[in-house]
């Protein structure tokens, strides 16, 4: 895809013009006021003070360090989980894959709860802290399941308490981690974004860079998990292997609390339920549907921020979804809604068309991580005198992310800015779609080559001749093809993530109001949940449609793993086509955001018509 092909011209503007909200610092919160009140109305060109830079740097270090350790814990748990369920808990490959997909989907479903509590009740700081403790308890429980003699799973025999008991206790703690992890997911990136002033052009550019380095930190944690933790799990056992991520998460909590103890953070207080405000807007628009809109939008109900029960921030009027403007008509009929509440509802509804497209992306993202370790476990895993764990090849995904983040942030973005062709969010996301298609195609081609090697080497005939008790993972049946070929789709998937996932992270943060940012992040994370549930459903449907010739076979010498990757590549191509249509019809870079910031800096207020 060439830059800006299939994307509306206005989307080619700088990412700095992509936010819908100009923050008004009317907070009573002491920390928020300390960081922002002194120059909220200053022109965007004003320099950032040395003290402000230092405080912002230290706050970001604590947040990024927390995220790095938390992601090390999460991926230390998830990366080798498919093989753990199969080898230690005795699940068949297809069942293990489905169970893992459902758990992962739940991890990304629970952010709806965390996002609601952060925006409406507790604020992002306290949600992160409380759900981190829940997360830690779950991690500790999983570690103890693999250490306590009575319930510790044994490969050659059932544990003393019985395998069913071990499985039940294990899944209780796994879903406790799903609750804790999902609860903080929508809040950490938004909490980091809150540290930057909306009124400062320089800090807005730093915020965009922060999201890149936030994702960089995620993948440093994932790299350590895939290269170190997985190896410990294979060599020292899962008790020790799960203990390392548990300790890492304890460090994550300590880093986060240390930032609070040093009074570094900006804490945006909750604004009440965003769902209630959306509901009031919809009810108001329906109740006043027969009324006529005034010719001048200034006649709509739009009190000053923080007065007459209004929100402590303001959003300018836009021409989209004009039917919702009727909710702000001054009338005794229906609830009295402010124009800002109408505009933040418009902003939220505006990101929903993208939702389905990203769900398709997330659906086709899952098979590479979920399925490649199964055939990889039977491939040539030698590296010198050692055997590389099949799941450790996923480190190539992390390298893809780390390489692309650095190249994108330090080379590509400055180059495109010098050429006066800044990269738009929509183009960035679409490029990630295309690269993921290449990742799936490469996985399919590798599997086609692997099956050809199995046939031509006579390995399948030798296995069948060995009788029904033969183990396809026995070294006698190691497939003469290096597992390092799998690094290609993992690496391409990492490159794709930098473009699509980080682009979505920034888009779902900047395109909603200050009072809905955790909800916006939750909606983005919900795409992962829905996508993973769809991937699990596709797995079930394919298995049901091919009962006698299973595509995802428990025996990697059999099956049609290549067909499964081709199927997902085809689905993603259709998803890319849908995304281009959405991107052409929905502009996510609104011109009025830049004008609104300039008007605010010049003291012209916040009521832009």
């Amino acid at each position: 895809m060439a830059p800006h092909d299939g994307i509306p011209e206005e989307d080619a503007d700088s990412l700095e013009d992509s936010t819908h909200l100009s923050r008004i610092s009317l907070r009573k919160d002491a920390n928020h006021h300390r960081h922002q009140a002194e120059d909220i109305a200053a022109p965007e060109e004003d320099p950032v003070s040395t003290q402000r830079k230092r405080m912002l740097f230290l706050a970001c270090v604590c947040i990024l360090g927390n995220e790095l350790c938390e992601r090390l814990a999460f991926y230390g748990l998830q990366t080798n989980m498919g093989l753990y369920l199969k080898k230690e808990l005795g699940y068949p490959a297809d069942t293990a894959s489905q169970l893992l997909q459902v758990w992962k989907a739940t991890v990304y479903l629970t952010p709806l709860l965390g996002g609601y509590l952060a925006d409406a009740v507790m604020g992002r700081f306290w949600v992160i802290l409380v759900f981190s403790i829940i997360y830690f308890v779950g991690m500790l429980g999983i570690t103890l399941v693999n250490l306590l003699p009575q319930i510790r799973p044994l490969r050659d025999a059932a544990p003393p308490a019985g395998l069913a008991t071990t499985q039940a206790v294990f899944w209780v703690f796994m879903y406790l981690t799903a609750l804790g992890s999902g609860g903080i997911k929508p809040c950490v990136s938004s909490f980091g974004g809150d540290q930057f002033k909306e009124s400062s052009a320089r800090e807005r550019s730093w915020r965009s860079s922060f999201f890149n380095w936030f994702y960089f930190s995620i993948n440093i944690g994932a790299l350590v998990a895939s290269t170190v933790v997985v190896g410990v799990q294979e060599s020292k056992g899962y008790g020790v292997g799960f203990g390392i991520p548990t300790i890492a998460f304890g460090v994550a909590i300590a880093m986060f609390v240390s930032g609070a103890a040093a009074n570094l953070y900006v804490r945006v207080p909750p604004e009440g339920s965003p769902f209630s405000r959306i509901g009031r807007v919809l009810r108001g628009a329906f109740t006043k549907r027969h009324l006529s809109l005034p010719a001048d939008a200034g006649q709509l109900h739009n009190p000053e921020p923080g007065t007459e029960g209004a929100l402590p921030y303001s959003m300018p009027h836009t021409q989209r979804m004009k039917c919702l403007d009727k909710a702000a008509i001054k009338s005794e009929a229906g609830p009295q809604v402010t124009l800002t509440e109408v505009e933040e509802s418009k902003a939220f509804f505006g990101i929903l068309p993208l939702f389905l497209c990203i769900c398709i992306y997330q659906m086709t993202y899952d098979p590479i991580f979920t399925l490649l370790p199964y055939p990889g476990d039977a491939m040539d895993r030698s590296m010198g005198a050692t055997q590389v764990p099949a799941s450790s090849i996923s480190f190539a995904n992390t390298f893809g992310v780390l390489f692309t983040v650095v190249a994108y942030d330090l080379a590509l973005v400055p180059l495109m800015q010098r050429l006066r062709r800044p990269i738009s969010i929509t183009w960035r996301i679409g490029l990630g779609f295309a690269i993921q298609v290449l990742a799936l195609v490469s996985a399919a081609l590798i599997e086609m080559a692997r099956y050809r090697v199995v046939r031509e080497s006579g390995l399948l005939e030798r296995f069948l001749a060995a009788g029904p008790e033969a183990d396809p993972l026995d070294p006698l049946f190691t497939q003469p093809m290096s597992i390092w070929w799998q690094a290609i789709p993992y690496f391409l998937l990492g490159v794709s993530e930098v473009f699509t996932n980080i682009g979505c992270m920034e888009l779902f943060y900047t395109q909603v109001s200050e009072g809905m940012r955790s909800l916006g992040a939750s909606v983005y994370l919900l795409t992962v949940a829905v996508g993973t549930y769809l991937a699990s459903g596709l797995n079930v449907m394919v298995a049901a449609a091919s009962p006698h010739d299973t595509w995802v076979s428990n025996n990697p010498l059999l099956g049609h793993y290549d067909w499964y990757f081709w199927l997902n590549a085809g689905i993603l191509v259709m998803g890319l086509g849908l995304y281009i249509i959405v991107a052409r019809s929905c502009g996510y870079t609104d011109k009025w955001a830049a004008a609104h910031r300039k008007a605010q800096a010049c003291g012209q207020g916040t009521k832009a018509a």
Side-chain angles (χ1 to χ4, degrees), residues 2 60 75 218 229 248 252 283 327 355 361 461 463 505 531 534 588:
C60 289
Y75 286 108
I218 289 174
V229 176
R283 289 198 309 273
F355 180 85
Y361 173 88
E461 288 76 9
F463 173 78
M505 188 185 301
L534 290 174
Y588 292 107

Side-chain angles (χ1 to χ4, degrees), residues 391-410:
S391 297
S392 287
I393 303 301
S394 64
F395 81 91
N397 171 266
T398 305
F399 273 121
V401 171
L402 301 181
F403 168 80
T404 310
V405 164
V406 174
Y408 180 87
D409 200 56
L410 301 183

Side-chain angles (χ1 to χ4, degrees), residues 531-551:
T532 308
Y533 281 129
L534 290 174
S536 180
L538 180 64
N539 195 349
V540 171
M541 288 189 293
V542 169
S546 57
H548 304 297
D549 189 18
T550 306
W551 289 17

